[in-house]
Amino acid sequence: MRYQRPKGTADILPGESERWAYVENVARRVFAKYRFDEIRTPMFESFDVFSRTSGETSDVVTKEMYDFMDKGDRHLSLRPEGTAGVVRAFVENKLYGPDVPKPVKVYYMGPMFRYERPQSGRMREFHQIGVEAFGSNEPAIDVETIAMGMDLLTQLGIENVRLAVNTLGDQETRETFRQALIDYLEPHFDELSEDSKLRLHKNPLRVLDSKDETDQKIVADAPSILDYLTDEAKAHFDQVKALLDALDIDYVVDATMVRGLDYYNHTIFEFMVNNKALGHGYTTICAGGRYNGLVEELGGPDMAGVGFALGVERLLLLMAASNVEFPAAHHLEAYVVGIGEGTDAATLKVVSKLRSQDVVADRDYLNRKPKAQFKTADKFNARYTLTIGQTELENKTINVKDMASGNEVTVPVESVEKDFNAVLETL
Ligand code: ATP
Ligand code: MG
């Protein structure tokens, strides 16, 4: 084999692609209920759009970016995530302006790129479905976003989801907590992983997010951000919890959760599942939070934002492992068989007329013998086989056979071409 797909990418073939389309359609339907509209932004952006927002100590920026210089010497990057590009578009197109009613609610779906070590549910090209709501600082919109994520997972048949929430507070919270964390971690410096050693002073919150086992043990006894919240930050978080309770949404508060990207503040959340298909223990399939300050960071006004992103690969692995039923793919209703020379035009015309009646129809295009054509109809699981032979051609008729019951009828071609359903009623 000479050519292979790049490591960490996948071909989504027929059979699988219908599942993708199903998930995307359900997402569109759920998001529409909450008045979210689609936004499509470029697959690549200026490198700075991501480096400025994800954080210079984040995994995404330090190790995972697919960045390159283009032929005009511009430093670009394939998008590692969706939010930064959406915020860039929000600012560039002045959606923050007074003419656009707030909150502005958008969703996106598409490929993201991260140079990671590929494994089950972790790809270099992967896909996210994400949402963003701009222009409201109210805890209610945090909760609506979470509720919509839950709604989506429920609609997709995902059960036993663990919703973890936390708050990263505001600027002041972060600063005092940062110092407390440094004070706690410094005595453990020698035990920390290399990554965490580097991050300890630059961005100690990152250490909380480490996947290294020793780091995780040390972090388990670290101070809790919840003890450092300002009154304002605490009030916001209390209201988020109260509103989650009001909607009867179960959650756990995980004070060690920080998220992998730097732009979050106040509410953060993750939807997790414990399923072998995704590895040991709990795996996050959907995650997000509030990112006040990000719009300003990319040149817009001070405007609040909150959103989430769902990993489609992980979702589909989970759906398959939980035996979620996918709706059947399009089903071939009519296969038109032509016997003998001269039926080419007649059969082509019949399939064309059937399709114009919204019937899923097909015929042979490989010059197969009649027997092979009938076999093909079987293989495609055609519901009806329609046959035009020499006699039918002369009489301008067609034979229609119901493959399940074996019932058949010969009728004028014209009646099939005009109203196939009426013909079926006579079967
Ligand atoms: P992780 O901790 O697993 O690396 P993350 O914090 O980097 O996740 P986010 O940036 O929050 O992930 O992305 C949201 C979701 O996108 C994740 O919960 C996951 O479902 C999915 N995702 C992230 N990276 C990948 C990847 N490389 N391959 C497949 N899905 C991914
Ligand atoms: Mg990651």
Side-chain angles (χ1 to χ4, degrees):
M1 266 246 267
R2 286 197 41 202
Y3 297 109
Q4 291 186 325
R5 58 180 182 268
K7 195 173 169 193
T9 65
D11 299 313
I12 300 161
L13 304 176
E16 180 72 15
S17 59
E18 289 89 50
R19 297 181 164 211
W20 285 72
Y22 169 68
V23 164
E24 289 162 4
N25 290 338
V26 171
R28 287 176 194 284
R29 221 175 46 227
V30 170
F31 297 160
K33 285 194 297 185
Y34 295 74
R35 199 184 56 76
F36 278 70
D37 297 312
E38 188 175 11
I39 184 167
R40 302 190 188 204
T41 65
M43 223 85 86
F44 57 89
E45 299 270 356
S46 292
F47 176 81
D48 296 347
V49 167
F50 305 113
S51 65
R52 286 285 298 267
T53 53
S54 293
E56 58 173 18
T57 56
S58 65
D59 280 346
V60 162
V61 172
T62 55
K63 312 174 193 167
E64 299 174 356
M65 287 269 244
Y66 271 97
D67 64 318
F68 57 97
M69 304 303 290
D70 78 357
K71 291 184 170 52
D73 245 5
R74 299 172 191 88
H75 193 186
L76 301 173
S77 177
L78 301 185
R79 59 184 188 192
E81 57 102 29
T83 303
V86 170
V87 173
R88 195 270 312 135
F90 180 82
V91 172
E92 186 168 345
N93 296 286
K94 299 194 171 57
L95 300 186
Y96 53 76
D99 301 342
V100 188
K102 303 297 174 305
V104 176
K105 301 178 181 181
V106 294
Y107 70 86
Y108 59 84
M109 40 185 79
M112 306 294 160
F113 307 86
R114 296 184 192 177
Y115 193 77
E116 300 211 60
R117 202 164 58 78
Q119 47 195 292
S120 170
R122 190 173 296 283
M123 308 282 293
R124 289 185 173 168
E125 180 183 31
F126 63 102
H127 297 74
Q128 287 184 335
I129 297 180
V131 308
E132 319 289 353
F134 296 99
S136 166
N137 204 10
E138 290 300 307
I141 193 100
D142 304 20
V143 171
E144 181 180 81
T145 307
I146 293 171
M148 185 167 76
M150 197 60 112
D151 192 353
L152 176 58
L153 294 174
T154 306
Q155 296 288 323
L156 290 170
I158 307 293
E159 287 166 351
N160 301 319
V161 178
R162 177 179 190 260
L163 167 63
V165 299
N166 191 24
T167 176
L168 295 174
D170 47 24
Q171 189 81 24
E172 199 187 321
T173 306
R174 288 279 274 272
E175 273 158 28
T176 45
F177 179 60
R178 185 194 140 87
Q179 195 50 53
L181 207 51
I182 293 177
D183 293 345
Y184 169 79
L185 290 171
E186 266 179 340
H188 297 282
F189 187 82
D190 293 337
E191 303 156 60
L192 289 173
S193 68
E194 291 311 308
D195 271 349
S196 291
K197 279 181 181 148
L198 286 172
R199 288 163 170 174
L200 174 58
H201 288 99
K202 278 193 189 159
N203 189 350
L205 262 72
R206 279 273 76 80
V207 180
L208 296 183
D209 198 33
S210 170
K211 291 184 174 81
D212 180 274
E213 269 185 33
T214 315
D215 286 356
Q216 286 178 349
K217 275 187 199 131
I218 296 169
V219 155
D221 296 319
S224 164
I225 193 161
L226 300 180
D227 296 326
Y228 294 82
L229 299 179
T230 60
D231 290 346
E232 206 188 321
K234 183 172 184 309
H236 189 102
F237 193 46
D238 285 344
Q239 182 65 357
V240 165
K241 289 185 288 181
L243 294 175
L244 286 171
D245 291 337
L247 290 186
D248 277 329
I249 296 177
D250 285 332
Y251 60 89
V252 292
V253 175
D254 176 358
T256 63
M257 184 168 76
V258 292
R259 307 291 312 114
L261 307 166
D262 271 1
Y263 49 62
Y264 290 109
N265 41 53
H266 288 287
T267 319
I268 54 172
F269 54 88
E270 297 194 358
F271 293 99
M272 311 171 90
V273 289
N274 188 349
N275 191 297
K276 284 197 293 289
L278 297 177
H280 273 305
Y282 276 94
T283 307
T284 304
I285 53 169
C286 177
R290 184 167 272 287
Y291 47 79
N292 299 348
L294 195 56
V295 172
E296 213 175 346
E297 183 70 36
L298 288 179
D302 176 16
M303 184 162 281
V306 56
F308 68 67
L310 167 92
V312 182
E313 281 79 3
R314 287 186 202 176
L315 176 77
L316 284 164
L317 279 171
L318 180 67
M319 288 172 75
S322 339
N323 295 318
V324 169
E325 274 207 39
F326 289 87
H330 68 82
H331 193 79
L332 183 62
E333 291 168 90
Y335 192 84
V336 183
V337 172
I339 303 173
E341 274 170 40
T343 58
D344 197 27
T347 53
L348 196 60
K349 189 173 168 208
V350 172
V351 281
S352 149
K353 293 283 183 186
L354 284 168
R355 288 168 185 159
S356 63
Q357 296 169 60
D358 274 339
V359 175
V360 182
D362 205 0
R363 51 154 262 189
D364 172 65
Y365 294 97
L366 297 173
N367 246 321
R368 289 187 179 96
K369 297 267 184 308
K371 206 173 151 191
Q373 289 187 47
F374 286 115
K375 246 195 189 154
T376 309
D378 253 0
K379 273 202 185 133
F380 288 150
N381 229 332
R383 185 136 179 235
Y384 303 99
T385 306
L386 284 59
T387 310
I388 300 181
Q390 291 309 307
T391 326
E392 286 84 5
L393 200 60
E394 273 158 36
N395 300 339
K396 295 194 168 55
T397 56
I398 188 165
N399 176 274
V400 181
K401 181 173 178 183
D402 181 330
M403 301 304 278
S405 66
N407 294 344
E408 55 188 303
V409 62
T410 298
V411 295
V413 179
E414 222 184 32
S415 52
V416 166
E417 291 177 348
K418 274 200 181 125
D419 191 347
F420 185 50
N421 280 328
V423 172
L424 293 182
E425 275 164 31
T426 68
L427 255 180

